[in-house]
Amino acid sequence: MKKNVKDSVRQILTNYLDLNNHRKTPERYAILEAVYNMDGHFTLEELGEKLSGEYNFPVSRATLYNTLKLFLELRLVIRHRFQGATRYEACYDDNSHSHQVCTMCGKVTEVKTPEVTEMINSLHLKRFRKDGYALYIYGICSTCQAKLTRQHKQQNK
């Protein structure tokens, strides 16, 4: 995680906890650190495994869930629901992006869409302030398409 992002998200969390008279627990800060060191999308289970393995800091599933709920409120994390699976992603320095979702294998890939970003940024919405966007493009990835083609050729022999 970049130092300036790390400092910013820690400060956001600290300010919130101070203002709302919540405890500054080591669990919250360890989870924040792990979230911002995750690569891309992650599940609650993957986050728990990272905390237990790499950080040697096991936390309960309830603590993970409640802490991620807090991070969602603070807009430090975004939640995605890809084909029935819930995944999370750190979003402090990137609130806007697009995803390709394979409807066969479930693989999710982020894609750069500068034209879409430009169009959304130029939208003038009435009585609404834009914070970001997430775009999901559903289809079949090249690996699954190749499998389908092979299967189709074998069936037609």
Side-chain angles (χ1 to χ4, degrees):
M1 159 172 37
K2 297 175 187 170
K3 176 113 172 78
N4 61 339
V5 170
K6 178 181 178 179
D7 293 342
S8 295
V9 295
R10 283 184 64 86
Q11 193 60 53
I12 289 169
L13 178 59
T14 299
N15 290 345
Y16 174 84
L17 296 174
D18 283 341
L19 285 170
N20 293 284
N21 295 318
H22 292 302
R23 294 182 307 129
K24 296 179 198 158
T25 64
E27 288 84 0
R28 287 179 173 149
Y29 288 97
I31 293 168
L32 184 67
E33 176 87 19
V35 163
Y36 275 81
N37 283 323
M38 297 291 281
D39 242 354
H41 309 101
F42 59 90
T43 64
L44 210 59
E45 292 76 21
E46 291 167 343
L47 179 59
E49 289 169 11
K50 184 175 188 91
L51 283 160
S52 294
E54 287 181 36
Y55 290 79
N56 197 23
F57 199 100
V59 295
S60 71
R61 184 173 176 81
T63 298
L64 282 175
Y65 179 79
N66 290 328
T67 304
L68 283 179
K69 186 176 175 188
L70 170 64
F71 293 172
L72 284 164
E73 291 172 22
L74 295 174
R75 306 236 346 119
L76 298 175
V77 169
I78 190 168
R79 177 178 45 220
H80 301 282
R81 291 201 173 88
F82 299 123
Q83 294 186 293
T86 300
R87 301 184 72 78
Y88 299 88
E89 179 178 25
C91 69
Y92 174 73
D93 57 347
D94 185 17
N95 281 339
S96 303
H97 52 278
S98 304
H99 301 87
Q100 297 178 148
V101 182
C102 179
T103 55
M104 289 190 64
C105 68
K107 180 180 176 185
V108 178
T109 309
E110 286 193 27
V111 292
K112 300 287 184 207
T113 53
E115 303 87 355
V116 172
T117 301
E118 186 178 318
M119 184 193 71
I120 290 174
N121 287 339
S122 69
L123 280 176
H124 297 288
L125 303 170
K126 292 182 181 179
R127 298 173 27 199
F128 188 81
R129 186 193 68 161
K130 298 176 294 234
D131 288 334
Y133 74 88
L135 173 67
Y136 305 103
I137 304 165
Y138 294 95
I140 300 174
C141 70
S142 59
T143 304
C144 290
Q145 186 61 52
K147 285 180 189 175
L148 285 173
T149 302
R150 282 193 303 273
Q151 288 173 353
H152 184 70
K153 285 181 180 178
Q154 287 176 349
Q155 289 173 352
N156 291 333
K157 284 184 178 182

